[in-house]
């Protein structure tokens, strides 16, 4: 498949517009598609995986982030450790986010646009302490999840289960 392929230690990619990742296997990753503009979509080429053993920072500005590739069995192939999604962006100024991880994922921060969907799944998903509100758009969290904040959106879907000792509490 096409896209930007990265291997090695610390990788940083600044781009002015849409960016497609190929196979990535690095110690730390920073991707910013806002260089010289408001942002572009960040996605990955078919059949590729993004593997980051350390910290990841993804910032697509007004663009969408879509990193959802799966293998032939339908299992996630991406593997992040900790991730910051659209850090420093004003709430409501970013695009939708859809990201899957094959095992444990800690989301240090996430900013999603007003009425933009958020779809995160991992074997074990740890969300940041703050509230997450997707307005009229869908909010989907999958896996063994932990969150200390309130979740709200047009349609909130929780798949998997709460972390041991935790509970999902839903109210309308």
């Amino acid at each position: 498949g096409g896209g930007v392929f990265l291997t090695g230690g610390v990788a940083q990619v600044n781009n002015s517009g849409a960016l497609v990742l190929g196979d990535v296997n690095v110690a730390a990753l920073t991707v910013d598609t806002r260089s010289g503009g408001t942002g572009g979509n960040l996605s990955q080429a078919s059949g590729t995986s993004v593997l980051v053993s350390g910290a990841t920072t993804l910032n697509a500005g007004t663009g969408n982030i879509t990193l959802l590739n799966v293998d032939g069995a339908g299992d996630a192939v991406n593997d992040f450790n900790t991730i910051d999604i659209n850090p420093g962006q004003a709430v409501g100024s970013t695009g939708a986010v859809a990201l899957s991880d094959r095992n444990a994922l800690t989301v240090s921060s996430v900013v999603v646009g007003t009425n933009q969907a958020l779809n995160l799944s991992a074997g074990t998903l740890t969300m940041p302490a703050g509230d997450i509100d997707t307005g009229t758009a869908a909010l989907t969290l999958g896996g063994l999840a932990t969150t200390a904040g309130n979740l709200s959106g047009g349609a909130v879907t929780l798949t998997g289960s709460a972390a041991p000792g935790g509970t999902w509490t839903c109210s309308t």
Side-chain angles (χ1 to χ4, degrees), residues 7 31 56 62 89:
T7 302
V31 177
T56 300
T62 58
Q89 292 291 298

Side-chain angles (χ1 to χ4, degrees), residues 110 118 120 125 127-135 137 139-142 145-159 167-172:
V110 60
L118 176 63
L120 299 175
L125 179 63
M127 296 298 293
D131 296 344
I132 297 174
D133 183 359
T134 59
L139 170 59
T140 304
L141 301 180
T146 302
T147 182
N150 294 313
L151 305 173
S152 59
V156 177
T157 304
L158 307 173
T159 60
T167 58
W168 289 120
T169 302
C170 300
S171 60
T172 57

Side-chain angles (χ1 to χ4, degrees), residues 1-5 20-23 45-48:
V4 175
F5 292 78
V20 177
L21 295 175
D23 283 318
S46 178
T48 64

Side-chain angles (χ1 to χ4, degrees), residues 9-159:
V10 176
Q12 181 168 344
V13 179
N14 295 314
N15 193 59
S16 59
L19 180 68
V20 177
L21 295 175
D23 283 318
V24 174
N25 189 345
V26 296
L29 177 65
T30 299
V31 177
D32 193 333
T33 64
R34 300 171 303 149
S35 181
T38 59
N41 293 336
L42 174 61
S43 61
Q44 69 186 121
S46 178
T48 64
S49 60
V50 180
L51 310 174
V52 185
S53 60
T56 300
T57 301
L58 304 176
N59 206 326
T62 58
N64 296 326
I65 297 172
T66 307
L67 302 174
L68 290 172
N69 282 2
V70 295
D71 62 17
D75 296 323
V77 296
N78 297 325
D79 189 9
F80 302 94
N81 185 355
T82 61
I83 192 164
D84 288 298
I85 302 171
N86 293 318
Q89 292 291 298
V91 173
S93 67
T94 66
V97 175
L99 184 139
S100 62
D101 186 289
R102 66 183 179 198
N103 50 37
L105 175 63
T106 298
V107 181
S108 300
S109 68
V110 60
V111 176
V112 65
T114 301
N115 302 323
Q116 296 290 325
L118 176 63
N119 177 349
L120 299 175
S121 65
T124 302
L125 179 63
T126 303
M127 296 298 293
D131 296 344
I132 297 174
D133 183 359
T134 59
T136 60
L139 170 59
T140 304
L141 301 180
L144 183 63
T146 302
T147 182
N150 294 313
L151 305 173
S152 59
V156 177
T157 304
L158 307 173
T159 60

